[in-house]
Amino acid sequence: MSAIRFAFAVVSIAALCSKVGAADDQPLELRVMSFNIRYGTAADGANHWDERKGLLVDTIRRFDPDLLGTQETLG
């Protein structure tokens, strides 16, 4: 997904959440996170994927996003 499409999707979801309230008519909270994973085969030295993946997982769990976007993610 291009950055422009991603930004449009985020803005659209945020706008929708601001219009749809909870039972007490309060706006809903939307937690959005984006990560550039970076290819595991990249020559990143000390920043190689094997050194970063634990921090990535911990950060995602701690932030607990409703919507998570990634770049350069390969299965």
Side-chain angles (χ1 to χ4, degrees), residues 2 4 13 19 23-24 27-31 36 44-45 48 51 58 62 64 73 75:
S2 73
I4 292 172
I13 292 169
K19 299 294 182 193
D24 59 1
L28 298 176
E29 180 179 289
L30 178 67
R31 296 173 64 90
N36 185 337
D44 288 336
H48 190 269
E51 303 298 325
D58 291 344
R62 187 173 52 251
D64 192 27
T73 309

Side-chain angles (χ1 to χ4, degrees), residues 16-51:
L16 177 63
C17 286
S18 71
K19 299 294 182 193
V20 177
D24 59 1
D25 221 14
Q26 294 297 313
L28 298 176
E29 180 179 289
L30 178 67
R31 296 173 64 90
V32 179
M33 176 183 276
S34 178
F35 268 105
N36 185 337
I37 301 296
R38 184 105 167 107
Y39 300 117
T41 57
D44 288 336
N47 292 317
H48 190 269
W49 173 242
D50 289 333
E51 303 298 325

Side-chain angles (χ1 to χ4, degrees), residues 1-13:
M1 175 181 288
S2 73
I4 292 172
R5 284 185 181 175
F6 177 76
F8 179 75
V10 169
V11 169
S12 298
I13 292 169

